[in-house]
Amino acid sequence: MPTTSTDPRAAAAALLVPGTTCHGFAVERCETVPELDSDAYVLRHTASGARLLYLACDDENKAFAIGFKTPPADSTGVFHILEHSVLCGSAKFPVKEPFVDLIKSSMQTFLNAMTYPDKTIYPVATTNEQDLYNLMDVYLDAVFNPAIYTKPTIFEQEGWHYELDLPESAEGEGDSSSASLREGTLRYNGVVFNEMKGALSDPMSVLDDAVNAALYPDTAYAHESGGDPRAIPALTYEQFLDTHARHYNPSNSYITLYGDLDVDRALAFLDERYLSQPSAASRRMDAAVAAGEDPSALAPNPLGVQAPVTCEYKHVEMATTPENALVGLGLVLGSALDRKRTIAADILFEALLGSNEAPVKKAILAAGLGGNVVSYTAAESLQPYELIMLQNAQPGVARELRRMFQNACRDLCEHGVPRERLEAIISSNEYDLRQRDYGIADGVAIACDALSTWLYDDDAATLALKYGPVYEELRGELDGSYFEDLLRELVLQNDHMALVELVPVDAAEGSEGAEAIELAAKRDAMTDSELADVVERTAALRAAQEAEDTPEDKATLPRLRVSDIGEARPEPPLVVDTTAPIVCLRHDIPTNRLAYAMQYFDLSCVAFEDLPYVTLLCRLLKQLPTREHSAEELDNLLAGKLGFLSFTTEVMTQPDVDGVRPYLLVSAGALSEKIDALASLPREVWSSTLLADADADRVRDVLTQIRIGLEQGFINNGHSAALGRAMSYSSPSAVVREQLSGVNFYLFLRNLLDHFDERLDDLRAKLTELAGRIFVADGCMASFTGSDEDFDAYWDAAGNLGLGAGDGAGRDALVVPAPCDRHEAFVIPSDICFAASACDPRRLGIDVTGTWAVAANALSYDYLWNEIRVKGGAYGCGFRAAGERQAAFYTYRDPAIDPSIERVARAGEWLGSFEPDEAAFEGFIVSCVSGMDAPVKPYALTKRRNTTYLAGLDPHAREERRAQMLAATPGELRSLGADVTRIAAESPTCVFGGRDVIAKSNANFNVVDLLG
């Protein structure tokens, strides 16, 4: 019987008694998971075989996820294309883009889908329970009854299709003669096709794929689950449908429910609406059996265990810059179900390679084999592996890397892995586990974590979640030889490993050239009628994309009303405590026995040309010895005593349109029981780091690692780089950001590395001088988040943080150059591009209110989504106007520049004639407000409130923007159309993209070969 208790754990305990059945679900067992403050219930739907895990806890941010075991049999990306495609309409919700409709109409705090190498997951989260059922309804109908069976255009749009670009004369005259068809350029297009072109422009992804293929040659992991653009066009529509039918059924599913919800209602909903009903997939399977197909051939793809294999050496070629040369050493760790071994291996390799002071990384860097070495534990597979990756590798060093790595590990096996490093990493991990800041809704992250073991054993639904005993056991193992024995097994005695080298080659030899040759041959082999069919099918696809959903179809979607939005969650007021030794922004926010301390040091004392040195100072602090500790001792001390310590820069745009105030931000977090370290260690680092005689090799290593990280960012997140650069054409704040962390800083860094030896002494002197000028009380603002007891204990231990008053020298030295439009296109090694047009709307006399946020939602998820993503094939796009000091358009992994620029230019015209129905418009408001109301973790909330204060924003601005959103009308949005047109026309544009993509643009960019 349902209980009336408001305690979700008590309600679940009363309802879900092991051994009983509830709404068709057999309750198999219940376990307490203290690590998550929850009770876990494992159930099985008797009729369908669907598995279910419910985590009962008092988190208001409820979550649902359904996952399927989807190991690929090839690299066509079929499961990735299915992930996109099933969210393009279903039997119950026959609209074109229910996924987008939910984004723009629900109170979701997470809404997405993810393809992994062996599973596909569809998770959602929201703070509103009715919204959770709405989201569940749409997602469940999408996965079980998608429109893909009746609309092949979905496959063409999301997967791949041919397009024939005719000569301009033929297009203008409507000429489809044989001659014009023969002169056309045949090409591939499709959202996933273009997405994976971008994803596989990342050398690290290419290397990881090659390592997987070498480690697991006989299993699903040998294939690129996202899809290789060279293989995607081999996938047929029929194969696509058959794959869905074989995998998207309840018996192959894993359902997770999480949070404070009515589980009785949830189980009834699942049983009655979906699990006890036939699906489109099951009907196709039944028809296949009735037609005489062997039922065994209709089973899901197998996921087998790979017998140990040793790949002594393999090399792969990639069209990229020479600096992107990589070497990867992959080591299989064992079984996903051996959690102790996997976690111990993660700790062990972090101890060996996790920082520049880690013993094995230190030895490899000293040998000069490459610019950086990193490692990560890939735990979300049947057989987890460790990948040790040498970045910016010197030619031909692969075997030498393996030899050095094994020799260093052999020495540690004989003499012992330093216990202080292991203990520090265990402490750091435990801090992260207590903080529970996953970066996404907790229930979504937990559902994905659960599948890292549950997918491989029905009895392991909670195995990955109950980590407490594992850490307790591993602490006990510090007294014996467990870690040395494990290191010996994994490195010196491992017969399941692979050594792979990624060798850069000239772009002319790469995949783009091969694709162009292939397509030219395909065009020449096609008959006139087949070429005409390509043109006709493209036109049919475009017509389907442009067709409006009918009012009847729109009405099927569940929607929340504005009346469903509750009051804004109250926040305790920000207190400026002037009684502390340093003026302190004090935050009364629950933190689960953690404390956060920050110091903002004013950088107006630094000349503009010296700002790049401030970034170098931030990155070198913690990497160099102090007067009190060696670099290695400091590294261990910080990891063992603090949850984190970071030195970064923040630029606060001021109320004056030309006003800018940069800061050096010192942020640290610690367990409440380690407040003394929170007070003392950051101060030691900033005040006594030995900068004047910094070791040359150590400094060069850090600078090289920064360069590598920036280059990876340009390739993988070029939209962020383009947004920052485009803003710098009109905003002084963005000019400063570019000097601190953008293209300007990157060019400064490259030049410094090119002339490192001759500039080293000046660099040491500059860093020493800047540290003395910056780390003073003058202009410093502190911040603290934690309990009253922790606040008092912190300041008792910290005193005035050892900060002198400063002599005031150069306090107003910062003079920011006037922004100017450079109209740049930066060449990066990629087959796609990222573009952005941005400005400070105040320069145009435009006041960006909360109504603009609703307009941005409409533009991003209606007009731009349909024009640039759906029709243009870009992976992402959007318009930002969430704050009063930036307005920007952007595209992400876009196959072309000019079509998107043209579509952006028409955005204001579209908004000016925007006439949504009442329900749709309310949806835009609901989703905007829910974004503001979404729960925020303590550290992120602290930083947001600090930024509001230091940027001179009205402390009540959020509440006012929220009220403006709620009061917005369609007429107000239409009235913004002219301003959007001005923003599109007057916002400077910047592009990061492949050379061929840029060359096809007629926008007359100033082309910069950024990476050389």
Side-chain angles (χ1 to χ4, degrees), residues 682-697:
R683 168 182 173 176
E684 176 187 331
V685 174
W686 78 55
S687 66
S688 69
T689 292
L690 302 176
L691 296 164
D693 55 356
D695 178 77
D697 289 339

Side-chain angles (χ1 to χ4, degrees), residues 752-802:
L752 178 59
L753 282 167
D754 288 344
H755 304 90
F756 182 79
D757 291 334
E758 63 198 76
R759 293 180 59 180
L760 177 60
D761 288 341
D762 289 342
L763 174 62
R764 290 166 172 155
K766 176 63 71 175
L767 295 174
T768 302
E769 185 266 331
L770 283 175
R773 194 190 313 172
I774 294 168
F775 294 115
V776 296
D778 185 15
C780 178
M781 175 72 72
S783 167
F784 188 88
T785 306
S787 67
D788 290 344
E789 294 79 9
D790 287 348
F791 178 83
D792 293 338
Y794 174 79
W795 286 112
D796 285 346
N800 70 351
L801 297 170

Side-chain angles (χ1 to χ4, degrees), residues 413-550:
C413 289
E414 293 174 2
H415 298 99
V417 180
R419 286 308 185 261
E420 61 273 17
R421 289 198 65 79
L422 292 171
E423 189 165 9
I425 291 162
I426 290 173
S427 295
S428 179
N429 287 1
E430 289 178 330
Y431 171 90
D432 292 339
L433 293 168
R434 185 190 294 188
Q435 184 173 234
R436 291 189 207 162
D437 191 349
Y438 304 104
I440 56 176
D442 288 9
V444 172
I446 290 165
C448 295
D449 284 348
L451 278 171
S452 65
T453 54
W454 191 19
L455 193 78
Y456 316 118
D457 188 334
D458 288 350
D459 293 329
T462 62
L463 183 61
L465 310 180
K466 302 177 77 170
Y467 49 76
V470 176
Y471 276 92
E472 185 178 346
E473 193 173 344
L474 289 174
R475 278 195 177 277
E477 298 286 13
L478 292 172
D479 293 332
S481 62
Y482 174 82
F483 284 97
E484 287 76 18
D485 294 340
L486 181 61
L487 182 60
R488 186 176 295 106
E489 291 174 21
L490 295 178
V491 176
L492 305 179
Q493 301 171 350
N494 199 339
D495 60 354
H496 200 167
M497 56 80 66
L499 180 67
V500 180
E501 183 174 14
L502 184 143
V503 180
V505 296
D506 185 74
E509 303 173 41
S511 61
E512 276 296 278
E515 181 182 302
I517 293 170
E518 172 188 287
L519 283 165
K522 285 180 178 290
R523 181 201 59 192
D524 293 344
M526 287 181 176
T527 64
D528 289 352
S529 128
E530 287 171 330
L531 290 171
D533 184 60
V534 170
V535 175
E536 291 171 9
R537 289 179 68 87
T538 303
L541 173 60
R542 196 69 74 237
Q545 292 168 333
E546 292 176 350
E548 292 286 335
D549 290 321
T550 67

Side-chain angles (χ1 to χ4, degrees), residues 805-849:
D807 59 11
R811 180 48 56 190
D812 297 313
L814 180 62
V815 178
V816 181
C820 63
D821 182 2
R822 301 177 186 276
H823 199 57
E824 294 160 312
F826 294 100
V827 176
I828 58 174
S830 180
D831 295 335
I832 43 75
C833 73
F834 308 86
S837 302
C839 71
D840 185 331
R842 296 176 298 174
R843 291 219 177 272
L844 305 180
I846 296 173
D847 181 22
V848 175
T849 65

Side-chain angles (χ1 to χ4, degrees), residues 17-35:
V17 178
T20 65
T21 298
C22 181
H23 299 295
F25 285 90
V27 184
E28 296 180 347
R29 62 185 184 277
C30 171
E31 308 167 20
T32 297
V33 184
E35 295 86 344

Side-chain angles (χ1 to χ4, degrees), residues 164-235:
L164 187 66
D165 296 332
L166 299 175
E168 289 186 14
S169 58
E171 287 183 342
E173 300 167 9
D175 182 6
S176 59
S177 66
S178 173
S180 64
L181 291 171
R182 291 288 160 197
E183 291 173 8
T185 301
L186 190 68
R187 63 185 174 91
Y188 299 121
N189 201 359
V191 173
V192 169
F193 180 82
N194 291 323
E195 177 191 349
M196 293 310 298
K197 274 198 166 187
L200 295 182
S201 295
D202 175 11
M204 293 176 67
S205 293
V206 174
L207 179 71
D208 187 65
D209 285 348
V211 169
N212 271 274
L215 289 175
Y216 312 107
D218 306 319
T219 76
Y221 301 110
H223 308 297
E224 169 52 70
S225 59
D228 183 335
R230 303 290 294 126
I232 288 172
L235 180 66

Side-chain angles (χ1 to χ4, degrees), residues 562-577:
V562 169
S563 57
D564 294 315
I565 299 175
E567 295 296 320
R569 182 181 290 101
E571 292 180 8
L574 177 65
V575 175
V576 182
D577 192 323

